[in-house]
Amino acid sequence: MNLLHLDKNELNALLLRKEDRIGFDNVTELVNLASGYSLLMALPGIKSKIFFLICLVLGVLLIIISSKHMFLNFKHPFSADDLYAEILQMDKVERRSSIIAIKDTFETYPHKYLLYFDEGWKCDFFPNHKTAEKGNTEELRGYLSEELEVPASQIHLDFLHEFTNEKPSVEHDNQMRLYIYSIYKAEISDIPDSWKTEHFMIAGKNYRWMSIDEMLQDSTIRDINQDVIAQVRDYD
């Protein structure tokens, strides 16, 4: 089952903009138009002044409103499929991601976190992986073991917090996406010697150690990932 993620205010605004176009078709409007003319044609035979005024008003309103709707339907056709398509365009593409905060436990660079450089975003990020529906902790441990080339038995993971944020994806032409982040803290019992420098590589990927302050001072990291940095800072 595919779920849509919509902003209720945006949906309400769309429906208000289209309220004159929803629920009308030319057949119905022709019937209403004919009914309006029928009421006007019957006026000469009506003796009651009150009933005469009621029929006059109803007839004129039916003609005006139906004519307006027919004109709009002819000039700017708008169907249920059109409305559905516009609602689909409002869908917030959802991305569930698990963020792993790894501190330098050997204090070569105290209070700093492990980041890698993402070529797609051209930005340094915490290690991350698509959140699994089941067994996420074990899947993350296996992912880290493979990516960082350390035994899974040396990786300890603790879940810290989950939060949601909507922001543009630089990697996807600034398309708005709904990010659901799960924040984890990871400890590695035996950090390799090759990690004990400020910059290093693992399997061709660039890694570095950075403090929270250093991340926030970097304009690229701050603009793209400030929400995640703040969550790691507040919950680790």
Side-chain angles (χ1 to χ4, degrees):
M1 179 175 62
N2 295 323
L3 299 178
L4 296 180
H5 298 273
L6 305 175
D7 184 295
K8 64 179 182 180
N9 293 324
E10 292 180 7
L11 178 60
N12 184 59
L14 171 65
L15 296 178
L16 287 176
R17 289 196 307 271
K18 303 297 183 181
E19 63 178 347
D20 288 337
R21 314 288 307 285
I22 298 172
F24 303 108
D25 63 83
N26 288 333
V27 174
T28 301
E29 299 311 322
L30 279 173
V31 171
N32 291 336
L33 192 62
S35 299
Y37 277 113
S38 297
L39 285 172
L40 295 183
M41 294 296 292
L43 290 178
I46 298 174
K47 304 302 181 182
S48 169
K49 289 184 178 180
I50 295 178
F51 191 51
F52 180 92
L53 289 173
I54 291 174
C55 290
L56 175 63
V57 172
L58 286 177
V60 171
L61 286 176
L62 281 171
I63 291 172
I64 293 174
I65 294 173
S66 297
S67 298
K68 175 186 176 183
H69 290 159
M70 290 181 67
F71 174 78
L72 288 174
N73 287 338
F74 174 77
K75 191 74 173 178
H76 305 288
F78 189 76
S79 65
D81 290 337
D82 295 324
L83 178 61
Y84 178 66
E86 289 200 29
I87 291 175
L88 284 183
Q89 290 178 0
M90 298 169 58
D91 183 27
K92 312 298 183 185
V93 179
E94 178 183 296
R95 181 182 176 91
R96 291 181 174 269
S97 184
S98 293
I99 309 298
I100 305 106
I102 304 174
K103 272 188 176 179
D104 177 13
T105 54
F106 281 72
E107 296 190 351
T108 303
Y109 299 98
H111 310 302
K112 293 193 176 186
Y113 293 86
L114 184 66
L115 305 182
Y116 77 96
F117 185 75
D118 188 288
E119 293 291 344
W121 286 78
K122 302 300 180 184
C123 180
D124 292 290
F125 288 112
F126 295 104
N128 59 84
H129 188 56
K130 181 180 179 181
T131 301
E133 293 184 5
K134 295 181 179 179
N136 190 50
T137 301
E138 289 307 311
E139 183 162 324
L140 283 181
R141 185 178 287 109
Y143 167 76
L144 286 177
S145 176
E146 182 176 347
E147 284 289 301
L148 303 180
E149 298 182 345
V150 296
S153 59
Q154 295 182 8
I155 302 172
H156 177 75
L157 283 169
D158 288 314
F159 174 75
L160 299 179
H161 177 58
E162 181 179 277
F163 78 101
T164 302
N165 191 26
E166 180 186 345
K167 60 183 180 181
S169 171
V170 175
E171 193 178 29
H172 300 90
D173 297 323
N174 288 322
Q175 178 189 26
M176 292 303 294
R177 295 203 165 194
L178 182 68
Y179 290 88
I180 302 175
Y181 293 111
S182 297
I183 307 295
Y184 287 81
K185 177 182 179 180
E187 292 185 0
I188 299 174
S189 59
D190 187 12
I191 289 183
D193 290 338
S194 59
W195 292 23
K196 297 176 182 179
T197 59
E198 188 172 0
H199 297 267
F200 57 95
M201 294 187 70
I202 303 175
K205 187 179 291 187
N206 289 297
Y207 288 83
R208 66 186 301 184
W209 297 101
M210 291 188 76
S211 68
I212 294 293
D213 288 341
E214 288 172 334
M215 296 178 212
L216 294 176
Q217 289 169 8
D218 184 298
S219 60
T220 301
I221 298 176
R222 184 179 65 249
D223 291 345
I224 295 176
N225 217 29
Q226 184 175 3
D227 55 341
V228 173
I229 296 169
Q231 293 291 323
V232 171
R233 177 194 62 201
D234 295 342
Y235 284 88
D236 186 8

